[in-house]
Amino acid sequence: MLVAVLMPGIGVEVNGSIRWINLAGIRLQPSEFMKIAAIIYFADYLARKKDDLHLFKVGIINIGLVVGAIGLLLLLEPDFGTTAVLVATVAVMMFLAGVRFWHFMVSISVAAALMALIMWMEPYRVARLLSYRDPWADPFGSGFQLVQALIAIGRGEWFGTGLGSSIQKLFYLPHAGNDFLIAIVGEELGAIGIFCVLALFLVLLYRTFAIARQALELGYRFQGFLAQGLGILLVIQAAVHIGVNTGLLPTKGLTLPMMSYGGSSMLSSMTAIGLILAVDRQVRSRSRKRR
């Protein structure tokens, strides 16, 4: 699907990026489903190679080649944000699976250098980075989205203007229902609302790790790594989304899992939750049989 989206006549261009496919009247974003497929693959690989992950080729090179192939296809769309989220998720999965620490640090250093190089190769990415440092320098140009997001959050103060009372989402803030959703949450529900969303994602991470730990204790390596990976994926994407909206990270179009508007994003999030629940069901069933 990542290859198909790049083919003329198949991929659909929106705002300069070719990330969608029209399928029977439904517009799909393949990268959303690729993330889930990639986590399933890496969970399986780490489970099968668990005893050999101390080897540089098995623990680093093989994984890096697959991540690099996926990242190349994503960057051709271009979709730097999804690439960064996937790289970060796989890196955490590798660390938790038991890759040697110095191997891990070398791979992280190389990945960070490559990501920085890719960022500086594109003028629009450099412009986004500069506007992130001082969005008020060009409030009606490259800094427009971040400025409007910060205005929304500032307008909400601690307790917000009230549910449905946002002004920014009606006239000023682009992509208010997906890429900049947390800014509207801040405007309508205040800083307290943002903190509640953060707390819910932390609870999600805690529960997925608890399920993963139980699976690993029962000898279910694949299920354990899968639950870990999916939980990490959802929380890292949420963290990037919130960081972009609050000005902590450069502007990048990423949805807030399970909350942002968009069919592909919502289906991907629900698929991840469904798989985590499937692991939990299997763990509970095995635990009852052992008792």
Side-chain angles (χ1 to χ4, degrees):
M1 292 179 72
L2 290 181
V3 172
V5 78
L6 300 173
M7 294 180 177
I10 298 178
V12 178
E13 182 176 346
V14 178
N15 295 329
S17 298
I18 306 175
R19 302 178 186 174
W20 294 267
I21 293 175
N22 280 335
L23 186 63
I26 300 174
R27 182 172 293 181
L28 297 176
Q29 187 173 353
S31 59
E32 290 291 339
F33 304 101
M34 176 282 307
K35 290 185 293 187
I36 304 299
I39 299 304
I40 293 172
Y41 168 78
F42 288 116
D44 176 66
Y45 178 85
L46 294 171
R48 287 186 288 109
K49 303 293 185 179
K50 179 70 169 67
D51 299 329
D52 297 321
L53 290 178
H54 62 282
L55 302 174
F56 190 76
K57 179 178 183 297
V58 176
I60 302 297
I61 299 298
N62 292 347
I63 296 175
L65 290 174
V66 178
V67 173
I70 296 172
L72 178 62
L73 292 173
L74 288 173
L75 291 171
L76 290 174
E77 294 183 2
D79 193 347
F80 184 81
T82 299
T83 306
V85 168
L86 180 64
V87 169
T89 302
V90 174
V92 177
M93 290 178 68
M94 292 164 54
F95 180 77
L96 294 175
V99 172
R100 278 190 175 181
F101 183 73
W102 75 270
H103 287 177
F104 175 76
M105 293 306 298
V106 168
S107 64
I108 288 297
S109 301
V110 172
L114 287 174
M115 298 296 274
L117 178 62
I118 291 169
M119 182 178 293
W120 284 103
M121 286 173 62
E122 291 289 346
Y124 78 92
R125 292 191 184 119
V126 176
R128 283 183 175 180
L129 182 62
L130 296 176
S131 66
Y132 148 74
R133 295 176 59 189
D134 185 13
W136 304 98
D138 188 12
F140 298 104
S142 59
F144 182 77
Q145 291 178 316
L146 180 54
V147 166
Q148 297 304 316
L150 294 175
I151 290 173
I153 294 172
R155 184 170 179 267
E157 299 184 353
W158 279 103
F159 300 102
T161 59
L163 194 62
S165 299
S166 168
I167 292 177
Q168 292 296 102
K169 71 180 180 183
L170 300 177
F171 306 106
Y172 305 104
L173 183 61
H175 309 293
N178 39 54
D179 296 348
F180 285 88
L181 178 64
I182 203 68
I184 303 304
V185 172
E187 184 179 7
E188 296 189 353
L189 302 178
I192 299 299
I194 296 177
F195 292 149
C196 286
V197 172
L198 278 169
L200 288 171
F201 276 103
L202 289 175
V203 170
L204 173 66
L205 184 64
Y206 172 79
R207 289 297 304 138
T208 54
F209 269 53
I211 293 168
R213 185 185 68 251
Q214 292 171 349
L216 293 172
E217 288 174 352
L218 291 171
Y220 292 153
R221 285 183 178 179
F222 168 68
Q223 291 88 334
F225 292 147
L226 178 63
Q228 283 180 349
L230 293 172
I232 294 164
L233 173 67
L234 293 172
V235 171
I236 286 180
Q237 183 164 327
V240 173
H241 176 96
I242 294 172
V244 166
N245 278 245
T246 54
L248 296 175
L249 294 173
T251 302
K252 194 69 205 127
L254 281 175
T255 56
L256 184 61
M258 297 177 289
M259 293 184 66
S260 288
Y261 172 83
S264 296
S265 174
M266 188 60 70
L267 283 173
S268 174
S269 298
M270 293 299 99
T271 300
I273 295 298
L275 289 171
I276 293 170
L277 291 174
V279 174
D280 181 54
R281 181 177 60 187
Q282 188 171 6
V283 167
R284 290 174 185 270
S285 176
R286 178 66 181 274
S287 299
R288 284 195 297 267
K289 289 179 181 179
R290 293 183 66 177
R291 289 197 297 266

